[in-house]
Amino acid sequence: KPPRVLSPEDYGCTSEEIDEAFLLTQIYTAERAMATTEFHSRGTTEEKVTVVFDFRNYVRKNMPSTSTVIAMIRMVQRCYPERLGVLVVVDAPFWMRAVYNMVWPFLSAATRDKLRFASGRDAVGEELRKIAGGNEELRVMLEDGDISSVDLTDYTRQPFYSPYEPLTK
């Protein structure tokens, strides 16, 4: 029997608190990714971020509310214009592919070039290898979808402009 994954509701969180936590997590992650890029490039490159949406173990009930997703999209458009380098969607569910196919003709070529859909082990592996570059630990984390090795306490204690590296005790 697989272990039970606890949800925020198991801790007594309201749906409003869950939605707020989702938005704050996205903001923190985006800001940290841009700060890290700027610091390591010494400000010589644009602050473009790579985003991976991994739907390999997607379950609709774990998705934030539609209003939260819309609020996040609006916030990203307003606060982070032209910051997306590439968006890779791994094993997108049918509804997402359907929506993309409907809006695709209306997207600019520049926007279409930033969106990549990968399905199937080989295609997913190839896209994730491109993202990871030579970082083998990152490649394995991306391919397995397992970030359990990331200690979130360590992550949030490290300098904001640093990529994650486990702290030595």
Side-chain angles (χ1 to χ4, degrees):
K1 182 176 178 180
R4 181 171 179 269
V5 177
L6 296 176
S7 70
E9 290 89 354
D10 293 325
Y11 295 100
C13 295
T14 66
S15 62
E16 292 81 17
E17 291 169 326
I18 294 167
D19 289 348
E20 180 180 10
F22 174 80
L23 287 171
L24 291 174
T25 301
Q26 305 317 305
I27 294 168
Y28 179 87
T29 303
E31 289 289 335
R32 185 160 180 164
M34 286 181 280
T36 301
T37 301
E38 183 178 10
F39 179 80
H40 288 280
S41 71
R42 307 256 191 273
T44 59
T45 61
E46 292 184 68
E47 298 167 22
K48 300 285 186 177
V49 295
T50 298
V51 178
V52 177
F53 287 154
D54 186 349
F55 286 92
R56 282 179 283 198
N57 296 312
Y58 172 75
V59 179
R60 174 72 177 120
K61 75 175 194 157
N62 293 334
M63 176 121 176
S65 68
T66 303
S67 61
T68 301
V69 172
I70 291 169
M72 182 188 71
I73 291 169
R74 286 183 179 151
M75 186 236 355
V76 168
Q77 288 175 327
R78 199 173 326 122
C79 300
Y80 305 104
E82 299 301 321
R83 296 295 178 99
L84 181 64
V86 65
L87 168 66
V88 177
V89 183
V90 175
D91 290 339
F94 173 79
W95 65 265
M96 186 177 286
R97 290 189 312 268
V99 168
Y100 176 75
N101 287 328
M102 285 188 291
V103 300
W104 178 83
F106 305 104
L107 298 175
S108 68
T111 300
R112 285 194 304 262
D113 290 344
K114 294 177 184 182
L115 305 176
R116 299 182 190 154
F117 286 75
S119 293
R121 186 177 180 87
D122 292 340
V124 169
E126 180 60 29
E127 282 299 331
L128 298 180
R129 277 189 289 284
K130 288 178 193 174
I131 292 169
N135 186 329
E136 190 62 19
E137 183 180 1
L138 176 60
R139 184 195 61 76
V140 169
M141 265 195 253
L142 288 170
E143 284 188 8
D144 291 346
D146 180 9
I147 61 167
S148 62
S149 64
V150 176
D151 183 322
L152 294 179
T153 302
D154 282 354
Y155 176 70
T156 56
R157 287 183 179 160
Q158 292 180 18
F160 194 68
Y161 54 84
S162 295
Y164 176 73
E165 293 181 13
L167 294 176
T168 55
K169 305 236 185 223

